[in-house]
Amino acid sequence: QKEVEQDPGPLSVPEGAIVSLNCTYSNSAFQYFMWYRQYSRKGPELLMYTYSSGNKEDGRFTAQVDKSSKYISLFIRDSQPSDSATYLCAMSPVYQKVTFGTGTKLQVIP
Amino acid sequence: GAVVSQHPSWVICKSGTSVKIECRSLDFQATTMFWYRQFPKQSLMLMATSNEGSKATYEQGVEKDKFLINHASLTLSTLTVTSAHPEDSSFYICSARPGEEAFFGQGTRLTVV
């Protein structure tokens, strides 16, 4: 079993839709949870990070962490074509190496 | 956020030659940097952890004699792919964590022909 599971997609949605991206994990030592956006042939760009459980909102993006269920989510409201990219969840114990999900490819259709 | 700069962004080399990739932290000091490799349509896989002033720590299955890592200063780590072969063609990305968040370089697309 992988430490981090993420549906690779692809996920296609119409412009303006709410997008829900999810990951599950098995390592209870994970404390930091991050979401990255990666465009083709580019390095990952940090979108959000959360420490321990809870919600965090930044503009159209909301990150949720449920440690009891070992489940994290990223919601994108009012999705735009420019949001089309691969979204990677990532997590780590305190100040240790980061483990990534496989990434979900998102396409927002105008 | 913090800036991690990686160079070159792409390189093509002949089989058997060596290629050096640089990773710099521009606005913070990084005692530790991480090197990842990403194959097409796959996630990032940690190759090694680079430690300033000491030997790098390699993940299982990564050949330390093939992927040489040098972390000579608090702002620079280098990855040298020695005697490169076509199967080494991949996207290499470095990362650093100045605090809680991890930041990534732009990545280097290596093609070995």
Side-chain angles (χ1 to χ4, degrees), chain B residues 35-55:
Chain B
W35 287 96
Y36 293 82
R37 180 167 53 185
Q38 186 178 34
F39 290 107
K41 299 185 179 182
Q42 295 188 25
S43 189
L44 285 76
M45 298 300 296
L46 181 65
M47 298 175 64
T49 301
S50 169
N51 303 299
E52 188 269 336
S54 65
K55 291 183 179 180

Side-chain angles (χ1 to χ4, degrees), chain A residues 32 34 49 51 92 95, chain B residues 97-102:
Chain A
Y32 292 108
M34 292 159 276
Y49 95 94
Y51 174 69
S92 78
Y95 294 117
Chain B
R97 295 187 79 171
E100 296 174 343
E101 303 134 290

Side-chain angles (χ1 to χ4, degrees), chain A residues 2 4 6-8 86-88 100-104, chain B residues 41-43:
Chain A
K2 291 182 181 178
V4 180
Q6 182 176 11
D7 187 337
T86 297
Y87 289 79
L88 297 150
F100 286 85
T102 52
T104 299
Chain B
K41 299 185 179 182
Q42 295 188 25
S43 189

Side-chain angles (χ1 to χ4, degrees), chain B:
Chain B
V3 178
V4 176
S5 178
Q6 189 173 340
H7 178 81
S9 56
W10 62 270
V11 58
I12 301 173
C13 71
K14 290 185 177 181
S15 185
T17 61
S18 296
V19 173
K20 180 184 284 188
I21 303 170
E22 292 187 349
C23 181
R24 295 180 184 274
S25 57
L26 297 186
D27 52 0
F28 65 96
Q29 293 182 331
T31 55
T32 302
M33 289 186 177
F34 304 90
W35 287 96
Y36 293 82
R37 180 167 53 185
Q38 186 178 34
F39 290 107
K41 299 185 179 182
Q42 295 188 25
S43 189
L44 285 76
M45 298 300 296
L46 181 65
M47 298 175 64
T49 301
S50 169
N51 303 299
E52 188 269 336
S54 65
K55 291 183 179 180
T57 305
Y58 291 82
E59 295 299 301
Q60 190 174 12
V62 178
E63 300 175 60
K64 62 180 180 181
D65 294 330
K66 181 169 185 63
F67 298 100
L68 300 179
I69 290 174
N70 184 279
H71 196 149
S73 77
L74 288 171
T75 59
L76 174 64
S77 175
T78 61
L79 169 68
T80 301
V81 183
T82 63
S83 187
H85 292 284
E87 57 265 30
D88 297 324
S89 298
S90 187
F91 193 53
Y92 293 86
I93 309 172
C94 67
S95 172
R97 295 187 79 171
E100 296 174 343
E101 303 134 290
F103 294 93
F104 289 82
Q106 305 94 319
T108 298
R109 172 76 55 190
L110 171 63
T111 302
V112 185
V113 298

Side-chain angles (χ1 to χ4, degrees), chain A residues 24-40:
Chain A
T24 59
Y25 64 95
S26 58
N27 188 343
S28 57
F30 289 147
Q31 294 284 348
Y32 292 108
F33 303 91
M34 292 159 276
W35 285 96
Y36 290 86
R37 177 173 61 196
Q38 186 177 26
Y39 294 108
S40 181

